[in-house]
Structure formats: C-alpha cells, structure tokens
C-alpha cells in the first residue's frame, strides 16, 4: 500500500504540480483547499505526511498546525509548511508552531520529493 500525503493548498497550479510529482513517485495524494475544516480532514485521512500551505481561506496554516500539535492523536503527523512568504520571520513562526520542514514557493520538484520522503521516514 502506498504512503499517503494530504496536501492542503488553495492554488490549483500548486496542487497539480505537487500531486504530479508525488504520484509519479508512488504516493497517494489527497487534496483539500479550505483552512476552516482542514483539521477535520487530517483526522479523517490520517496521512503519513501533511503538506500545509500557510495562507488558506478560513484559517491559516499556522493555526491549523498549532491545533494539530495540541491534539495528542495528531501531534505525530510530519508537517511540511509551504508558503510564498519566505522571510525569516515566517520560518520562525512555522517552527514555533511545530512544523517539521519549511519550503518556499516556487520550489524545485527534487526538493519537494526529497523533503516528503525524509518526513515519511521519520
């Protein structure tokens, strides 16, 4: 059975790119694009890796991550924060919230694949 990635992202071109990269490597990729019910989707899907955009409609990725880290049943899920805002303060906020990895857009296909593989191996 293939490992599952849940991608919470609201930009269709990013969803398509990441889905293609990971599916080609054998991953099962599920997507969701609304921050408001993202935590429920994580609980429902139980992904091996979560890729979480920072800026989402309904709730920010930071808030979603904090909520997941405070939930003992979800606190173990490896999280890659993805953002178009690559400033040092954005990375620091993500790290304080509990992300396992941080990547800025645009990203390279190789970096995305390597990071997801590394997170899944934890």
């Amino acid at each position: 059975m293939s490992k599952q990635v849940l991608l919470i992202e609201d930009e269709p071109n990013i969803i398509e790119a990441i889905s293609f990269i990971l599916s080609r490597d054998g991953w099962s990729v599920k997507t969701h694009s609304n921050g408001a019910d993202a935590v429920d989707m994580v609980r429902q899907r139980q992904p091996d890796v979560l890729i979480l955009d920072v800026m989402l409609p309904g709730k920010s990725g930071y808030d979603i991550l904090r909520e997941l880290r405070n939930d003992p049943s979800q606190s173990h899920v490896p999280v890659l924060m993805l953002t178009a805002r690559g400033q040092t303060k954005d990375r620091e906020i993500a790290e304080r919230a509990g992300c396992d990895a941080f990547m800025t857009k645009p990203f390279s296909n190789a970096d995305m694949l390597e990071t997801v593989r590394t997170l899944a191996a934890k």
Side-chain angles (χ1 to χ4, degrees):
M1 185 175 184
S2 65
K3 293 218 173 206
Q4 187 181 117
V5 170
L6 177 57
L7 170 60
I8 302 178
E9 167 66 61
D10 63 330
E11 293 180 38
N13 58 333
I14 301 291
I15 293 169
E16 185 177 341
I18 293 174
S19 295
F20 177 77
I21 295 162
L22 297 178
S23 296
R24 195 175 61 186
D25 193 53
W27 291 85
S28 171
V29 181
K30 305 295 182 194
T31 63
H32 190 69
S33 57
N34 187 340
D37 57 353
V39 172
D40 292 334
M41 286 304 297
V42 175
R43 289 181 181 129
Q44 180 183 337
R45 296 281 183 192
Q46 295 293 308
D48 295 296
V49 176
L50 173 62
I51 301 174
L52 181 59
D53 187 24
V54 169
M55 294 181 285
L56 292 163
K59 188 185 284 186
S60 82
Y62 298 133
D63 291 337
I64 294 163
L65 180 56
R66 284 186 200 100
E67 194 171 332
L68 291 171
R69 291 302 186 234
N70 287 324
D71 179 346
S73 70
Q74 302 304 315
S75 62
H76 67 282
V77 176
V79 177
L80 166 58
M81 292 295 291
L82 191 61
T83 183
R85 299 168 51 173
Q87 307 211 344
T88 303
K89 68 176 180 152
D90 298 308
R91 182 180 297 272
E92 289 170 354
I93 293 168
E95 288 172 354
R96 278 197 308 270
C99 79
D100 298 282
F102 185 88
M103 190 173 291
T104 57
K105 302 174 198 174
F107 50 84
S108 78
N109 294 358
D111 287 347
M112 176 59 68
L113 190 54
E114 180 183 339
T115 301
V116 170
R117 285 176 177 167
T118 300
L119 290 176
K122 283 189 168 188

